[in-house]
Amino acid sequence: MESIEQALKAFDQDGRLQKRIERQRQELLDSAIVQAFLQDHPDVTRSMIDRALSKLYEFKKERGNCQTCPGLDHCPNMIKGFQPALYTERGSIEISYSRCQLKREQEAEQAKLQLIQSLYIPKDILKATFDDMEQNEERADALSEGLEFALSANPGEKGKGLYLYGKFGVGKTYLLGAIANELKTKNIQSYLIYTPDFFREMKQAIGDGSFQEKLEAVRKAPVLMLDDIGAETTTAWTRDEVLGPILQYRMAEKLPTLFTSNYDYDELEEQLAYSEKGGIERLKAKRIMERIKHFTTFVEVGGQNRRSM
């Protein structure tokens, strides 16, 4: 039986096939991403290249997909969300795959949601942008402050956040969503938390042993957004063992915190002063409020109640 090589030679008597193969090989080696690999690995020989042509083709194709990424849901790569890399080992060119940036972000988001159940992003918040927000005189300052924060945010260097105050339904949470989505374009992670649910969850976390893990995750969030603070029934424990340590850490580490509330600074201080036992602890409430006041800019969000329209 004749060899494959002999059969090919008999079939390609005029050499056209061989020329086409050589041309495709050269186009592969001339591609920018393969050239970058070869320049970083001057020890690669022609023999190594010839033995690894299929891997080089695979690398070029898959990385080409990454360069024109259509998004994680439509990733055309063999392993969705993974991108290839070339390396040499024992005189051979090898290929490996690792999670791309979008895949890592997705997994980080899923890990957050599994850990902190009170993290929530309703569908309308997922789509919130500054361009879509209603522009009028009552909201102009709030939108300006929100956009300014999103564009200049630098967790770890600039720790000042925002305190968004306004009546029920005026769009405070939607503004947080627009800020969060703008931050996402800068690869800055934010935690958007519905505060009443978060405090209830932290109480339950004592029983299942996850309290410290949850507290650490929230304390260290690059940007923390506490939505509807003051709406929950205040207890001395949530104020002193949950909210206080979170704010103290974030203040020290210059990690910005944003709040929304139906209460202004003074009204929130009154809320925080009351405990579940009916007592009033003004000094402890004042300490919490001093941290909030010092590290936020007070922003009033005006307008009509859009939930009743």
Side-chain angles (χ1 to χ4, degrees):
M1 180 180 292
E2 63 180 346
S3 68
I4 294 176
E5 185 178 357
Q6 289 173 329
L8 285 175
K9 284 182 178 179
F11 176 76
D12 187 34
Q13 292 182 357
D14 59 1
R16 290 182 183 179
L17 178 60
Q18 186 61 39
K19 289 178 182 178
R20 188 170 68 178
I21 292 173
E22 184 58 32
R23 185 170 62 252
Q24 290 176 340
R25 176 185 182 279
Q26 196 57 48
E27 287 176 357
L28 171 67
L29 297 181
D30 288 342
S31 66
I33 53 177
V34 173
Q35 274 294 310
F37 167 75
L38 295 176
Q39 288 172 9
D40 289 339
H41 296 79
D43 56 324
V44 170
T45 64
R46 181 186 176 93
S47 174
M48 291 170 63
I49 292 173
D50 289 340
R51 293 198 307 271
L53 282 178
S54 63
K55 294 174 184 175
L56 293 174
Y57 276 114
E58 178 183 329
F59 172 74
K60 179 176 179 288
K61 177 178 177 294
E62 299 282 282
R63 284 303 292 266
N65 292 336
C66 293
Q67 290 173 347
T68 57
C69 177
L72 193 57
D73 290 341
H74 303 286
C75 176
N77 281 358
M78 290 189 297
I79 309 175
K80 183 179 289 189
F82 284 72
Q83 59 187 10
L86 294 173
Y87 66 98
T88 59
E89 184 176 64
R90 298 178 182 178
S92 296
I93 298 173
E94 304 293 344
I95 188 169
S96 64
Y97 281 83
S98 60
R99 292 168 178 79
C100 70
Q101 178 67 26
L102 293 180
K103 182 67 174 177
R104 292 196 299 270
E105 289 175 2
Q106 182 193 63
E107 291 180 349
E109 191 69 24
Q110 290 172 343
K112 281 196 309 179
L113 292 173
Q114 289 173 359
L115 178 62
I116 309 294
Q117 299 302 312
S118 48
L119 279 168
Y120 78 111
I121 308 179
K123 289 182 179 179
D124 60 332
I125 302 302
L126 275 173
K127 300 176 182 178
T129 67
F130 284 98
D131 290 338
D132 293 335
M133 297 194 72
E134 182 183 341
Q135 309 282 331
N136 57 47
E137 291 184 6
E138 293 177 305
R139 300 158 65 82
D141 288 344
L143 296 183
S144 177
E145 290 284 357
L147 183 58
E148 172 63 24
F149 172 83
L151 294 176
S152 63
N154 188 7
E157 297 294 332
K158 296 172 64 175
K160 196 152 190 175
L162 301 175
Y163 187 95
L164 304 177
Y165 158 74
K167 297 177 181 178
F168 180 82
V170 295
K172 301 184 297 295
T173 305
Y174 196 83
L175 179 53
L176 283 186
I179 293 171
N181 283 326
E182 187 66 34
L183 290 173
K184 191 174 182 180
T185 66
K186 300 169 57 181
N187 294 319
I188 297 177
Q189 188 182 46
S190 60
Y191 276 37
L192 176 55
I193 292 176
Y194 182 57
T195 310
D197 282 355
F198 173 64
F199 285 157
R200 284 191 287 270
E201 184 179 344
M202 292 303 285
K203 287 182 181 178
Q204 296 171 358
I206 295 176
D208 64 27
S210 64
F211 175 83
Q212 196 59 40
E213 184 182 12
K214 292 177 186 289
L215 186 68
E216 285 299 298
V218 174
R219 286 204 311 173
K220 295 180 179 180
V223 176
L224 177 62
M225 301 177 176
L226 294 177
D227 189 31
D228 217 5
I229 190 168
E232 71 286 345
T233 300
T234 304
T235 70
W237 182 80
T238 55
R239 181 193 62 210
D240 301 335
E241 303 301 325
V242 180
L243 185 59
I246 287 173
L247 297 182
Q248 180 62 35
Y249 179 89
R250 299 185 64 76
M251 184 173 66
E253 297 298 321
K254 294 184 178 181
L255 298 173
T257 307
L258 286 72
F259 303 83
T260 72
S261 184
N262 297 330
Y263 299 102
D264 64 19
Y265 282 154
D266 293 335
E267 291 168 337
L268 181 60
E269 185 171 329
E270 286 294 318
Q271 283 289 105
L272 293 174
Y274 288 95
S275 70
E276 73 280 11
K277 296 180 180 179
I280 298 177
E281 298 176 310
R282 296 194 182 280
L283 183 58
K284 290 184 177 180
K286 188 174 287 293
R287 286 174 180 165
I288 294 289
M289 286 310 303
E290 284 304 310
R291 294 169 187 166
I292 293 176
K293 289 178 182 179
H294 189 68
F295 278 92
T296 60
T297 298
F298 185 86
V299 180
E300 184 168 359
V301 184
Q304 296 179 327
N305 183 343
R306 285 157 177 76
R307 297 181 191 177
S308 61
M309 296 173 66

